[in-house]
């Protein structure tokens, strides 16, 4: 029988309890600046298997390992000059680097999905870094939600999605960024963005002084989370680039509005950003999707969002949310 879920607001005692649970091989959800992560000891294969079970996640989708600082990450990943530049600029922060794995890394194969690379990140959230220091081991932590569902930006989202599949949520309040980390692959000579996120493509290109190539979706053996076509999906169908309401064709839709969009004809409207601010829209994205995903509506309409800046990442999430639901093999 699964343990009863405990939600504990931040305190020294709560953090110590969370660290002890992680060291004991249990699962703990905790806040980062991007979204809430579902953490497990990355060196403990049984604990990591618990993540896949709780999330009902495809076994071929790798996980990100979290560290308190760059030096801790370098014990498990091989940093080149490019990686050091990006780490110096954006860490701690919303950037994940996919790097060659150190030959003596004790991160288990289940975390890397059997790949010779490892995805590493140093989160900016002070509670997350304090927890990572207290545990003293790499923590594998995908978003704390059922696989393919909307990512959680509050402890309540985690509880609603995972319930008693996990034992503890460390509650640090709403996440500040509200969008997963950008994932950059540096395992070859090219710089490849595997997943757009809180750090923009333009920012990475400026620091490295080179082009950043966008990776294609990979439904067979992705090198990063967030590369499956159908992902971040609410229960309701999603319609992209909605400029008008059409009840005869789409039924009673709720609109996620942005900037100077047309809201006429929609009985229900939730704003990602009235001012057309991509940072505000990114921070609101998953919370508004959760709020919109209600059985009294027939679908969710998304207003057009420009591709510039964080709009690229927002549209990436929305395309995956709108994609046909493709069943994946069991772990």
């Amino acid at each position: 029988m699964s343990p009863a879920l405990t939600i504990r607001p931040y305190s020294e005692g709560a953090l110590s309890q969370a660290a002890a649970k992680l060291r004991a091989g249990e699962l703990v959800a905790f806040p980062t600046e991007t979204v809430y992560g579902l953490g497990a000891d990355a060196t403990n294969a049984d604990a990591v298997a618990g993540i896949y079970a709780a999330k009902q996640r495809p076994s071929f989708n790798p996980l990100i390992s979290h560290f308190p600082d760059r030096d801790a990450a370098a014990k498990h990943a091989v940093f080149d000059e490019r990686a050091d530049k990006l780490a110096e600029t954006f860490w701690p922060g919303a950037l994940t680097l996919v790097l060659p794995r150190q030959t003596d890394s004790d991160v288990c194969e289940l975390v890397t999905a059997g790949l010779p690379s490892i995805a590493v990140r140093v989160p900016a959230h002070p509670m997350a870094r304090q927890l990572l220091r207290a545990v003293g081991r790499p923590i594998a932590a995908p978003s704390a939600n059922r696989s393919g569902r909307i990512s959680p930006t509050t402890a309540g989202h985690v509880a609603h999605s995972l319930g008693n599949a996990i034992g503890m949520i460390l509650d640090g309040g709403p996440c500040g960024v509200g969008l997963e980390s950008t994932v950059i692959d540096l395992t070859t000579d090219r710089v490849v963005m595997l997943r757009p996120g809180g750090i923009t493509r333009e920012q990475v290109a400026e620091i490295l002084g080179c082009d950043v190539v966008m990776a294609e979706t990979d439904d067979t053996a992705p090198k990063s989370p967030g590369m499956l076509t159908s992902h971040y999906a609410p229960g309701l169908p999603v319609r992209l680039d909605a400029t008008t309401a059409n009840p005869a064709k789409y039924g009673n839709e709720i609109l996620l509005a942005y900037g100077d969009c047309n809201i006429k004809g929609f009985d229900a409207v939730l704003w990602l950003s009235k001012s057309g601010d991509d940072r505000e829209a990114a921070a609101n994205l998953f919370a508004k999707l959760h709020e919109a995903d209600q059985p009294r509506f027939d679908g969710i309409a998304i207003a057009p969002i420009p591709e510039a800046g964080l709009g690229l990442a927002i549209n990436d999430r929305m395309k995956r949310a709108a994609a046909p639901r493709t069943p994946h093999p069991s772990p």
Side-chain angles (χ1 to χ4, degrees), residues 184-197:
I184 298 294
D185 179 13
L186 297 178
T187 58
T188 69
D189 290 340
R190 297 193 310 166
V191 178
V192 181
M193 179 173 281
L194 300 181
R195 181 179 74 183

Side-chain angles (χ1 to χ4, degrees), residues 56-280:
Q56 300 176 6
R57 184 187 185 97
S59 60
F60 49 76
N61 203 356
L63 305 177
I64 295 170
S65 295
H66 292 69
F67 300 87
D69 52 52
R70 181 265 180 207
D71 289 345
K75 294 178 181 178
H76 300 270
V78 179
F79 281 69
D80 61 12
E81 183 179 356
R82 301 171 301 169
D84 280 330
K85 283 183 179 180
L86 292 178
E88 182 179 355
T89 304
F90 298 115
W91 279 359
L95 178 70
T96 293
L97 298 177
V98 176
L99 304 172
R101 176 176 170 159
Q102 294 281 11
T103 56
D104 60 350
S105 170
D106 58 355
V107 167
C108 69
E109 291 273 328
L110 200 54
V111 170
T112 60
L115 297 170
S117 56
I118 183 171
V120 296
R121 181 164 100 88
V122 176
H125 198 294
M127 188 186 305
R129 295 179 71 198
Q130 189 177 355
L131 178 63
L132 291 166
R133 291 191 186 97
V135 175
R137 301 169 190 169
I139 297 300
S143 57
N145 56 279
R146 297 283 183 188
S147 185
R149 306 301 289 184
I150 306 169
S151 297
T153 56
T154 69
H157 293 161
V158 178
H160 177 73
S161 185
L162 295 178
N164 288 341
I166 61 174
M168 182 178 178
I169 302 172
L170 189 61
D171 187 355
C175 299
V177 176
L179 195 70
E180 288 96 337
S181 62
T182 298
V183 181
I184 298 294
D185 179 13
L186 297 178
T187 58
T188 69
D189 290 340
R190 297 193 310 166
V191 178
V192 181
M193 179 173 281
L194 300 181
R195 181 179 74 183
I199 305 298
T200 68
R201 180 181 182 181
E202 294 86 350
Q203 288 175 298
V204 173
E206 181 180 359
I207 294 302
L208 296 183
C210 65
D211 291 335
V212 177
V213 179
M214 290 299 301
E216 296 182 358
T217 295
D218 189 339
D219 280 339
T220 55
K223 295 181 74 172
S224 161
M227 294 185 70
L228 298 176
T229 304
S230 178
H231 206 58
Y232 314 105
L236 294 176
V238 174
R239 180 165 68 99
L240 302 177
D241 296 323
T243 56
T244 59
N246 190 340
K249 184 174 183 179
Y250 299 109
N252 178 29
E253 291 180 309
I254 182 171
L255 174 68
L256 294 192
Y258 179 88
D260 187 23
C261 68
N262 178 19
I263 66 173
K264 292 181 180 179
F266 291 96
D267 292 333
V269 176
L270 294 173
W271 283 95
L272 295 174
S273 173
K274 286 187 177 182
S275 64
D277 185 320
D278 62 345
R279 288 185 177 274
E280 181 184 18

